[in-house]
Amino acid sequence: MIVVIGIIAGVVLGIVTQPDIPPALQPYLPIAVIAALDAMVGALRAHLDGMFSDRVFITSFIFNVLVAALIVFI
């Protein structure tokens, strides 16, 4: 339930504040979102298999986003 509340709060906050993404960071945003979604789907799969680890999830999430940003940069 906390996750659902967090998602709703994040969406509402994004709609209300209308954050501006600096033009230099705009090419990185779509691939970072895809990498984050990949980590979240992996966490869901691990949870359904009964092997979820929050440390693995956080590490995977950060590493996926950083590697994706590096690939776009290159």
Side-chain angles (χ1 to χ4, degrees), residues 2 6 19 22-24 29 37 42 47 49 51-52 58 64 66-68:
I2 293 173
L29 186 61
L37 288 173
H47 177 71
D49 289 343
M51 300 182 314
F52 178 77
I58 296 296
N64 280 354
L66 289 176
V67 168

Side-chain angles (χ1 to χ4, degrees), residues 47-71:
H47 177 71
L48 293 175
D49 289 343
M51 300 182 314
F52 178 77
S53 169
D54 56 345
R55 292 180 183 175
V56 172
F57 170 68
I58 296 296
T59 304
S60 167
F61 186 85
I62 292 171
F63 187 73
N64 280 354
V65 172
L66 289 176
V67 168
L70 179 64
I71 289 170

Side-chain angles (χ1 to χ4, degrees), residues 5 9-10 25 28 34 36-37 40 47 54 57 70 73-74:
I5 293 170
L25 297 179
Y28 301 100
I34 296 299
L37 288 173
M40 291 174 54
H47 177 71
D54 56 345
F57 170 68
L70 179 64
F73 177 74
I74 292 173

Side-chain angles (χ1 to χ4, degrees), residues 3 19 30 36-38 41 45-46 62:
V3 173
L37 288 173
D38 176 54
V41 169
R45 181 176 169 263
I62 292 171

Side-chain angles (χ1 to χ4, degrees), residues 3-47:
V3 173
V4 174
I5 293 170
I7 290 172
I8 292 171
V11 169
V12 169
L13 185 64
I15 291 172
V16 170
T17 61
Q18 296 281 326
D20 291 327
I21 306 298
L25 297 179
Q26 287 178 357
Y28 301 100
L29 186 61
I31 196 71
V33 169
I34 296 299
L37 288 173
D38 176 54
M40 291 174 54
V41 169
L44 177 63
R45 181 176 169 263
H47 177 71

